[in-house]
């Protein structure tokens, strides 16, 4: 039996550039929003969702597998196939020499992805810990730093040895990587809220160029951001993305990074 949903469910989204195609219509009043919108970092959204403070949330994919009663809405995800630009390992050492990594506090899925890559590709157990929010301080405590989101754009690729983890994941396994999932709790019904989010996504996808222009006064920078949004990020959780997600969660469970790897989806027809 389904639980009665709250009158105004709480929806949590992060504010990275890659979520703007979903946020654009919501912020500009282009769709009705039968919910309360909260903005936070991916890791904090995961904690709030797990604690029951959020009814629907865009959370790191690994966190879905750490919440026993979470289900997935496939209407929106953040995934990549190959180079992604916003999940970056940086160091003064070659990647084969890295033993420890200070991870961006906002990162959960990327930190798990990093451990899996080092174990399966380089055959080593990696020491990771939550590092400073400032990339320049990460290398004072570890061999390398892991940054995600918009902050990765600012890492000097000439100064450091860098590795795009989306690219390394694809080269290693031939699969997409799903960075974030839209999740809710099993047994709850949020059809009006999900319908509004789906509509917002459809509007946002038609306005990628406008979204990129709104981020900067530079035409050159706008073109770079457009390329990122239009060709680096995948927003549909399709068959290949599901295969990539299954491989990720199976590997994470095998390494003790999460407690489940089964995929449960929200039944829109229930």
């Amino acid at each position: 039996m389904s639980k009665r949903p709250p009158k105004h469910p709480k929806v949590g989204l992060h504010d990275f550039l890659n979520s703007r195609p979903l946020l654009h219509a919501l912020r500009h009043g282009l769709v009705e929003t039968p919910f309360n919108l909260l903005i936070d970092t991916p890791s904090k959204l995961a904690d709030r969702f797990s604690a029951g403070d959020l009814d629907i949330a865009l959370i790191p994919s690994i966190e879905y597998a750490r919440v026993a009663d979470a289900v997935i809405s496939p209407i929106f995800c953040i995934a990549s196939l190959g180079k992604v630009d916003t999940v970056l390992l940086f160091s003064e050492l070659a990647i084969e020499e890295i033993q420890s990594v200070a991870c961006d506090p906002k990162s959960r899925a990327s930190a798990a992805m990093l451990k899996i890559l080092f174990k399966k590709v380089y055959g080593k157990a990696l020491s990771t810990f939550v590092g400073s929010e400032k990339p320049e301080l990460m290398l004072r405590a570890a061999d390398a730093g892991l940054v995600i989101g918009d902050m990765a754009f600012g890492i000097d690729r000439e100064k450091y040895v860098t590795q795009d983890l989306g690219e390394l994941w694809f080269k290693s396994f031939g699969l997409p990587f799903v960075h974030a999932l839209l999740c809710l709790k099993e047994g709850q019904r949020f059809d009006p809220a999900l319908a509004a989010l789906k509509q917002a996504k459809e509007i946002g996808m038609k306005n990628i160029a406008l979204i990129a222009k709104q981020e900067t006064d530079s035409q050159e920078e706008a073109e770079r951001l457009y390329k990122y949004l239009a060709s680096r990020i995948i927003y549909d959780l399709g068959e290949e993305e599901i295969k990539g997600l299954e491989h990720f969660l199976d590997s994470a469970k095998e390494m003790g990074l999460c407690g489940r790897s089964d995929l449960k989806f929200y039944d829109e027809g229930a």
Side-chain angles (χ1 to χ4, degrees):
M1 182 177 179
S2 297
K3 300 175 184 177
R4 183 186 297 274
K7 187 175 181 180
H8 295 290
K10 295 179 181 177
V11 174
L13 303 175
H14 66 246
D15 195 24
F16 291 169
L17 177 63
N18 57 30
S19 68
R20 303 294 168 78
L22 187 55
L23 283 171
H24 174 76
L26 303 178
R27 285 179 161 171
H28 290 83
L30 303 179
V31 297
E32 292 186 14
T33 52
F35 52 79
N36 296 319
L37 179 63
L38 295 95
I39 305 296
D40 215 326
T41 66
S43 56
K44 290 180 180 178
L45 289 175
D47 292 341
R48 295 175 72 170
F49 175 73
S50 178
D53 186 40
L54 293 172
D55 301 298
I56 304 172
L58 184 63
I59 62 175
S61 53
I62 190 68
E63 293 298 324
Y64 156 79
R66 292 170 176 167
V67 180
D69 58 346
V71 295
I72 300 165
S73 171
I75 65 172
F76 186 85
C77 76
I78 293 174
S80 61
L81 183 64
K83 190 174 183 181
V84 66
D85 289 336
T86 48
V87 182
L88 195 72
L89 183 72
F90 70 100
S91 178
E92 294 177 347
L93 303 175
I95 191 168
E96 296 83 2
E97 300 174 351
I98 294 171
Q99 301 291 335
S100 61
V101 178
C103 297
D104 187 331
K106 300 182 290 298
S107 169
R108 298 280 175 87
S110 298
M113 176 192 196
L114 180 67
K115 280 181 169 287
I116 292 167
L117 285 167
F118 266 73
K119 182 68 173 179
K120 292 185 176 289
V121 177
Y122 300 104
K124 65 167 71 172
L126 188 67
S127 172
T128 65
F129 58 92
V130 177
S132 170
E133 290 189 359
K134 297 181 178 180
E136 63 270 21
L137 299 181
M138 289 181 172
L139 298 189
R140 296 184 183 179
D143 294 336
L146 174 67
V147 292
I148 68 167
D150 302 351
M151 190 164 64
F153 289 131
I155 298 297
D156 188 339
R157 267 72 165 177
E158 299 296 326
K159 181 178 180 181
Y160 298 108
V161 179
T162 61
Q163 176 64 63
D164 185 302
L165 293 195
E167 186 175 35
L168 181 58
W169 181 270
F170 179 69
K171 286 181 177 178
S172 301
F173 307 121
L175 292 166
F177 187 82
V178 179
H179 304 271
L181 293 164
L182 191 66
C183 293
L184 51 158
K185 298 292 181 67
E186 190 171 16
Q188 291 278 17
R189 302 301 309 171
F190 296 111
D191 293 349
L194 290 173
L197 290 171
K198 185 176 182 179
Q199 184 183 5
K201 174 195 172 183
E202 291 170 354
I203 294 171
M205 295 305 297
K206 294 176 182 177
N207 287 278
I208 294 293
L210 174 62
I211 292 169
K213 288 179 181 178
Q214 289 175 338
E215 293 297 313
T216 178
D217 294 328
S218 164
Q219 179 64 30
E220 182 179 355
E221 179 69 2
E223 289 175 0
R224 185 175 72 87
L225 298 181
Y226 173 79
K227 180 180 179 182
Y228 169 75
L229 291 171
S231 62
R232 297 287 191 227
I233 303 300
I234 300 166
Y235 297 100
D236 297 318
L237 191 65
E239 290 184 8
E240 288 301 306
E241 288 70 40
I242 288 174
K243 288 179 184 177
L245 179 61
E246 288 174 334
H247 181 74
F248 171 54
L249 295 183
D250 285 343
S251 300
K253 184 180 178 182
E254 177 187 323
M255 291 177 60
L257 302 176
C258 62
R260 64 186 284 208
S261 61
D262 62 307
L263 300 184
K264 290 186 178 181
F265 293 91
Y266 181 77
D267 185 359
E268 293 188 40

